[in-house]
Amino acid sequence: MSTKRVIGAEALEDARQRGRNQFEVLPGDIVTAMARETAARIGIQLVDGPIEKPSAPVTDGATALRRGLYRRSPRWVTPQASKSTRPRRLRKLALVGAGGVGANIAHLAANRDMADDITLIDIAPGVAEAMALDLNHASGITGSRARCVGSTDLAMVAGAEVIVVTAGRARGPGMTRADLIDVNARVMRSTAEVIKTQAPDAIVIVVTNPLDEMTVEMLRATGFPRERVLGMAGTLDSSRFRNALAMAAGVTPADVTAFTLGSHGDEMAPIPSHARIKGRALSAFLSEEQIAACVKDAITGGGQVVALKKTGSATVAPAHSSIELIDHIRGAALGSVPVSVMLEGEFGIDGVVLGVPAHLGAKGLVAIDEIRLTQTEQAALNTAAEAIRTRLGL
Ligand SMILES: NC(=O)c1ccc[n+]([C@@H]2O[C@H](COP(=O)([O-])OP(=O)(O)OC[C@H]3O[C@@H](n4cnc5c(N)ncnc54)[C@H](O)[C@@H]3O)[C@@H](O)[C@H]2O)c1
């Protein structure tokens, strides 16, 4: 005898969290009005069940062998090794700018064995060379196979598969990221000139601020397709947002999934409607006021570090956030990730670089994930796009 289920909004939130876009409603099930409303809002289709289940896999020789080798249960087999999810080690990673962020990226990349060759380039004589030497000296302990090279010569980007650009000025106390626009745009243009001749097939990750504007500069000056010019900010802002939510809810950051979109600045758009704590909507743990405070903390996070440091801005979290993008490119991380890309009509926005969720791969941008946003979140994205257009005089 089948038991009647009452399907509430939470069951649908849980299904969405597990990546489902359909929910099976069996005869006799009661679906609450709130659940129907939630389904429409978060993009889950209610499907009259029972849904036909996929048939059992056919047993071939290879499956039988794997089953025989791993005798856990008659039905259990080792998962097929998937070539597409095996992380790729880069031949060459180039870092233009070996200051606070660039040096930390090099350190993380060397320790994670991400590339055969890590080349650091900095206009200031000795800076990149010293860092490369320091990292090579550490390899006797870390065992890193990466060979680090430092230079002042931008042409050393030649042959790099991924180039991370952190060259330029960082902001000081009282400065906004937009204050850096003129000086850093010149750095982007001169760097792009060399990249397009020496590394014409590279994927470029821009980190230099103001991020969205500098990504536009790099895109224009290299003439590369949008797939190969990405901006890093969303991974950092999302990490800051997750940290704030975890602190407020008294859980560990690993219990939190949340991301921010939009611009890297005052027009950042944290997306609470998709955020979860222990798989549940934020409202299960936090009040409206607490959520608003976490949003504010994510937006002002960079400024808080600048105010404390007095000279320069954050370096460690931005380096981890850049590594996260490289991991998506080389297949060491899966799913979508917030990244700044030129939009071509996605989310109703065209001709401006903005942080959006996207899938990355060996050739850069694979696809933008046009998730459902609330009206407020979409409005925040539109505001960010307008602000960038205004700053760029578009
Ligand atoms: N997108 C983000 O989320 C994010 C986060 C943190 C910092 N940033 C930005 O990243 C940039 C770097 O920050 P940082 O803390 O590493 O600054 P930093 O001052 O420590 O390092 C910048 C380095 O760039 C070098 N440089 C300047 N012009 C150059 C050129 N033409 N060619 C090669 N090298 C050049 C400088 O000599 C310096 O060593 C800043 O613009 C900062 O605002 C962005």
Side-chain angles (χ1 to χ4, degrees):
M1 200 180 72
S2 66
T3 39
K4 280 188 184 175
R5 300 181 302 171
V6 178
I7 296 164
E10 222 164 70
L12 294 162
E13 299 267 13
D14 282 352
R16 193 78 191 96
Q17 189 59 33
R18 288 198 297 273
R20 305 239 175 96
N21 54 14
Q22 286 193 333
F23 192 97
E24 183 186 50
V25 180
L26 297 172
D29 281 352
I30 298 161
V31 183
T32 66
M34 180 69 91
R36 288 189 190 282
E37 197 183 294
T38 304
R41 180 172 56 79
I42 64 178
I44 286 213
Q45 197 190 354
L46 297 171
V47 181
D48 289 334
I51 300 172
E52 203 179 321
K53 300 284 183 292
S55 56
V58 180
T59 304
D60 56 16
T63 309
L65 180 65
R66 281 182 293 125
R67 211 173 255 163
L69 288 171
Y70 295 86
R71 287 188 188 285
R72 294 181 177 205
S73 89
R75 293 186 65 81
W76 196 90
V77 291
T78 52
Q80 289 273 11
S82 162
K83 282 202 179 103
S84 61
T85 58
R86 198 176 295 154
R88 219 164 42 86
R89 199 157 175 271
L90 303 176
R91 267 190 329 279
K92 180 167 175 176
L93 169 67
L95 306 169
V96 181
V101 181
N104 273 292
I105 295 173
H107 191 186
L108 289 172
N111 277 355
R112 288 170 179 231
D113 206 23
M114 291 169 74
D116 298 331
D117 171 337
I118 300 173
T119 294
L120 296 105
I121 301 153
D122 200 290
I123 201 168
V127 168
E129 294 88 331
M131 188 62 203
L133 191 59
D134 209 3
L135 287 170
N136 287 335
H137 287 168
S139 69
I141 296 168
T142 63
S144 170
R145 291 182 290 169
R147 285 296 89 194
C148 301
V149 179
S151 176
T152 51
D153 184 3
L154 257 176
M156 290 286 286
V157 295
E161 291 161 274
V162 177
I163 302 173
V164 185
V165 181
T166 64
R169 274 190 64 189
R171 63 188 168 139
M175 287 174 86
T176 68
R177 294 177 179 100
D179 291 336
L180 301 168
I181 206 163
D182 290 335
V183 57
N184 286 348
R186 283 196 292 277
V187 176
M188 290 308 104
R189 287 195 286 270
S190 57
T191 305
E193 281 306 312
V194 182
I195 290 177
K196 76 176 175 192
T197 56
Q198 300 298 321
D201 300 320
I203 298 169
V204 183
I205 300 176
V206 177
V207 177
T208 304
N209 273 321
L211 190 273
D212 305 282
E213 289 84 344
M214 292 306 105
T215 309
V216 173
E217 284 294 342
M218 182 61 72
L219 195 62
R220 282 180 184 159
T222 52
F224 284 4
R226 71 165 180 162
E227 283 75 15
R228 290 198 285 115
V229 180
L230 313 172
M232 186 293 289
T235 43
L236 172 61
D237 298 331
S238 302
S239 180
R240 286 177 175 152
F241 189 32
R242 287 195 289 273
N243 173 59
L245 291 168
M247 300 265 284
V251 300
T252 68
D255 289 326
V256 182
T257 52
F259 54 85
T260 74
L261 306 178
S263 118
H264 183 48
D266 292 343
E267 304 93 15
M268 189 188 300
I271 307 294
S273 74
H274 286 260
R276 297 288 178 273
I277 297 174
K278 291 182 182 280
R280 303 182 68 195
L282 298 188
S283 54
F285 289 83
L286 300 171
S287 66
E288 288 288 316
E289 292 72 30
Q290 284 175 307
I291 297 169
C294 292
V295 166
K296 188 166 174 216
D297 198 45
I299 294 173
T300 60
Q304 294 170 32
V305 176
V306 172
L308 288 166
K309 268 180 107 164
K310 310 278 192 286
T311 54
S313 53
T315 56
V316 176
H320 277 276
S321 311
S322 306
I323 292 284
E324 193 179 355
L325 291 187
I326 303 172
D327 273 345
H328 277 264
I329 288 168
R330 68 189 193 95
L334 301 174
S336 74
V337 64
V339 58
S340 294
V341 293
M342 176 58 79
L343 297 186
E344 293 175 353
E346 293 88 358
F347 293 100
I349 299 169
D350 191 46
V352 71
V353 165
L354 215 55
V356 289
H359 293 266
L360 305 180
K363 292 192 164 47
L365 175 69
V366 174
I368 293 172
D369 204 359
E370 283 194 79
I371 55 166
R372 241 168 222 268
L373 299 177
T374 63
Q375 274 184 358
T376 316
E377 291 162 351
Q378 179 67 50
L381 217 53
N382 295 345
T383 305
E386 274 320 302
I388 294 168
R389 276 200 189 99
T390 307
R391 284 198 288 270
L392 285 172
L394 296 174

